[in-house]
Amino acid sequence: MDIRILGAHNSETINSSCVSLLIDGQLAVEAGGLTSRLAIEEQEKIDSIIITHNHMDHICDIPMIALGSYLRGSCIDIYSTPHVCNTIQEHLLNTDVYPEFQHIPSNRPTINFMEIEPLALQWVDGHSILPVPVKHGNDSVGYEICDKKGSPVFFTGDTGPGLSDCWAQISPQLLIIDVTVPDEYEDFARATGHLTPHLLEEELIDFRRMKNYLPEILTIHMDLAQEAAIKSQLEPVGERLQTAIGMAYEGMRFAI
């Protein structure tokens, strides 16, 4: 799989975009920094978007990608839980905020909402997608994604601690995981469903205990203003666990 990190942060600035990934040029994961990081020609190749949850920084580019698709006469499938699909339609594509592209044009809607069921494997654009509940509320799920070559990636989306049930369901080669703030904000992280470097370490120890290995680790959803502090705290975590922990960044691209 060819994976591009379009957005790696929890906010948008001149130097950062909200979380979005692009897999093999056609499958988008999240819509936080989707249109702002892709040329029109690249946007035209997107067939499907999978969404972890309905917070604004993960869905904010859906109206823009919908408008572009409508003007091209093309369609996009959006996959998520029923709660997320309903929330986007009720509060975003609802006429008041933006046109209801799920109904326009009436004979061939631009946006097709495809409801997924947690722990039910399905195929999307040649990739297997396994939605797994994580700790962020609002029916949040992460996704284990794999192509036919069999190198799975698990993207947590936003998540807090307590992922044992999630770890039991997956066996990724690469784990792309939320680390939003440094350790001094642990109370905030726990209250809002996010991880710090210390909380990440606890989750990885639990993963290794359960699975007898650690995958490659890439953190995402960092707060840009706190990124240096997060990096300095992740380095000793990697040393203690004897594993490399990378940090995602806009424009990062790799194959797995």
Side-chain angles (χ1 to χ4, degrees), residues 10-27:
N10 65 348
S11 60
E12 187 173 69
T13 71
I14 193 171
N15 298 313
S16 66
S17 291
C18 297
V19 171
S20 283
L21 288 70
L22 186 63
I23 298 177
D24 292 334
Q26 65 183 120
L27 174 62

Side-chain angles (χ1 to χ4, degrees), residues 126-138:
H127 300 81
S128 66
I129 306 294
L130 180 67
V132 183
V134 294
K135 300 294 185 176
H136 193 63
N138 293 326

